Amino acid sequence: MSDEMDMEEGGTIKKFMFVNRKAPYGTIYALESLEVVLISAAFEQDVSLAFIDDGVYQLMKNINTDGIEMKSFSKTYRALEGYDIEKLYVERESLEARGLSEDDLVVDVQVVGAAEMADLMNEQDVVLSF
Amino acid sequence: MLHIVNKSPSERNSVDTCLGHAKDGSAVLLIEDAVYAATAGNMSEAKVKAAMPNVKVYALGPDLAARGMSARVLDGVNVVDYGGFVDLVAEHSNCQSWL
Amino acid sequence: MKFGILVNEGPYQHQASDSAYLFAKACLAKGHEIFRVFFYHDGVNNASRLTVPPADDRHIVNRWSALAQEHNLDLVVCIAAAQRRGMMDDNEAKRQGKDASNIAPAFRISGLGQLVEAGIQCDRLVTFGD
C-alpha cells in the first residue's frame, strides 16, 4: 500500500489509449467510452483516442439525434481539447472504406495509416477498447 | 503486445482488424467465438495462416472444446488453458481486447 | 504481478463474465494479485443479488461474491452505468428515494475513477466484453 502511495505522489504517468471501433447510438459503448475518457483527464495521464472501423462514424458532422430521442454527444468530442485530451487518431483505411474524409469529421484529428496505428497501440501501457 | 479477440470471423471483422494491426513478434489469443478462426475450413483460415510466420497464434482450449472444435485446430496454433491465458498476459508488456 | 480486470457485459447473455471469472481464478491460482475487478456497461448487472438462475446452472453473481470473499477481492460497479440500469446499494437507494437496493455481497458501487486508477496501479488490465 505504501508503495502505491509513493507511486501516486511520484505522479505515475501511463500511456492510455481508448480504442473506439463501434458506431454511435446503435449501442451505448461510444457514449460510455467517452465518459471514461473524460474521467481519465482528471488523473493527468497521457491519454489518446483511436477511431478504427465503425468507430470513425462517432465523429461525423451533422449528427442530429432529435428524432430518436437520445442525447447527442457529438459536442463532447470538440470539448476534449479543454480537458487537455488532444491526441485523436483516426485510421485512414477505415475512413476510406466508408467513403469518408477528414472534412466529414466534427473535430480536428490526426489521420494515420493502419501501420502507424499499430505502432501507436504497441507503445501504450493500457489499451481500453469499447 | 498480446491481442485478444473474442468474435467469430464470420460475424464481425475483429479478427481481420486485429491481424491487420498485430506487429511482427506480437501474439494473438483467440477466445470465446473467435476460436472458430483457429479451425480448418473456416473463412479466415488463409489469413490466420498468412499471419503465423510473424505472429504467434493461440486459442483457448476450453472454448474450442465447448464448441466441438478441438479436433479441427489449424497446425501451428498453440492451444492454451486459462492458466496459459494468464501467462500470455503476464509475458507481454501490454494487451488489448479487440471487442 | 498485479492484475486488473474489466467486465463490460452482463451475466448469461454473453460469455464475457464467465471468461473474466475463469481468468481471475487462474490468476489467483498462479499467485498473482488481483487489484480490482471493475464492472462497466451492462457488466454492472453481474452485481444483482436478485439473480436466480436455474438450480442446475452456474450462479454467476454468487460465484463472483464467493471468490471476492475468499480472496479479499475488490469488486467495483460503476455508479453511472449502474444508475442507468437500476442497480443500487442501500445508500444510493436512500439518496434516490427508491424502496429497494439490489447489490450482492462483496460488490461496491463507486466512480469511473476506480477504473482509471486500476489502469494506473496494475501491471496489466484485461478487458472482457462484447
Side-chain angles (χ1 to χ4, degrees):
Chain A
M1 195 61 196
S2 60
D3 282 349
E4 286 164 25
M5 294 305 285
D6 290 346
M7 276 171 64
E8 284 278 286
E9 284 161 15
T12 308
I13 296 181
K14 284 193 171 183
K15 291 173 84 77
F16 275 72
M17 177 178 263
F18 295 92
V19 178
N20 298 284
R21 291 182 52 246
K22 295 190 173 87
Y25 306 109
T27 58
I28 198 171
Y29 299 105
L31 170 62
E32 288 191 331
S33 167
L34 211 40
E35 291 182 347
V36 188
V37 171
L38 292 173
I39 296 287
S40 74
F43 286 78
E44 297 181 344
Q45 301 295 299
D46 181 357
V47 174
S48 59
L49 276 67
F51 297 87
I52 306 173
D53 292 337
D54 281 355
V56 302
Y57 286 134
Q58 294 177 21
L59 300 177
M60 289 298 292
K61 278 179 184 163
N62 301 322
I63 282 181
N64 180 340
T65 56
D66 293 351
I68 59 169
E69 300 191 0
M70 288 191 200
K71 203 170 91 181
S72 164
F73 46 90
S74 241
K75 284 195 289 289
T76 312
Y77 296 105
R78 301 173 72 139
L80 289 175
E81 204 180 350
Y83 290 84
D84 288 329
I85 297 171
E86 292 167 338
K87 295 180 196 168
L88 275 64
Y89 302 109
V90 175
E91 190 165 284
R92 178 174 301 113
E93 289 84 345
S94 302
L95 285 174
E96 285 170 357
R98 288 159 183 79
L100 302 175
S101 75
E102 207 175 336
D103 295 339
D104 296 306
L105 308 182
V106 75
V107 68
D108 286 337
V109 299
Q110 279 175 260
V111 178
V112 299
E116 193 181 339
M117 189 66 94
D119 288 339
L120 288 166
M121 279 176 182
N122 205 44
E123 66 191 37
Q124 302 300 316
D125 296 307
V126 182
V127 183
L128 285 164
S129 188
F130 293 109
Chain B
M1 183 169 215
L2 174 68
H3 299 270
I4 303 163
V5 190
N6 72 339
K7 295 294 177 318
S8 164
S10 32
E11 193 195 356
R12 303 244 208 122
N13 66 352
S14 307
V15 170
D16 264 13
T17 303
C18 167
L19 292 176
H21 291 82
K23 292 169 67 69
D24 289 1
S26 62
V28 174
L29 170 64
L30 304 167
I31 69 169
E32 298 173 6
D33 287 350
V35 298
Y36 292 117
T39 61
N42 183 273
M43 62 184 292
S44 57
E45 178 177 347
K47 280 179 184 163
V48 172
K49 278 183 173 165
M52 279 198 295
N54 307 315
V55 173
K56 276 197 174 166
V57 180
Y58 300 84
L60 194 62
D63 279 332
L64 283 163
R67 290 159 177 81
M69 289 286 160
S70 299
R72 304 177 69 97
V73 179
L74 293 171
D75 287 343
V77 171
N78 307 279
V79 177
V80 297
D81 59 11
Y82 285 97
F85 183 172
V86 172
D87 291 341
L88 283 171
V89 174
E91 285 162 14
H92 293 84
S93 57
N94 52 4
C95 65
Q96 177 182 6
S97 299
W98 289 88
L99 302 179
Chain C
M1 199 170 257
K2 208 185 280 185
F3 281 78
I5 295 174
L6 171 61
V7 182
N8 286 340
E9 293 299 324
Y12 303 101
Q13 173 82 15
H14 191 284
Q15 200 184 339
S17 181
D18 292 278
S19 296
Y21 172 81
L22 294 167
F23 180 84
K25 261 195 6 177
C27 273
L28 295 166
K30 286 191 171 276
H32 294 297
E33 178 194 342
I34 295 178
F35 175 77
R36 179 168 296 148
V37 184
F38 193 86
F39 296 86
Y40 196 40
H41 299 300
D42 274 0
V44 298
N45 292 311
N46 285 288
S48 173
R49 78 162 179 263
L50 304 181
T51 304
V52 185
D56 60 352
D57 197 358
R58 71 221 188 277
H59 197 307
I60 292 179
V61 178
N62 289 358
R63 208 170 57 169
W64 276 118
S65 291
L67 192 72
Q69 283 161 344
E70 189 184 341
H71 297 277
N72 200 23
L73 301 186
D74 190 20
L75 307 183
V76 179
V77 178
C78 169
I79 186 160
Q83 284 177 332
R84 281 194 178 106
R85 294 163 176 86
M87 300 291 302
M88 53 187 67
D89 59 12
D90 288 339
N91 285 338
E92 192 57 19
K94 261 183 221 138
R95 208 168 67 85
Q96 300 283 351
K98 301 291 182 186
D99 61 358
S101 65
N102 56 353
I103 293 294
F107 288 86
R108 66 187 178 94
I109 287 188
S110 189
L112 269 174
Q114 301 271 305
L115 170 59
V116 181
E117 191 202 13
I120 296 169
Q121 298 291 340
C122 294
D123 300 302
R124 302 284 184 277
L125 179 61
V126 186
T127 304
F128 295 87
D130 187 31

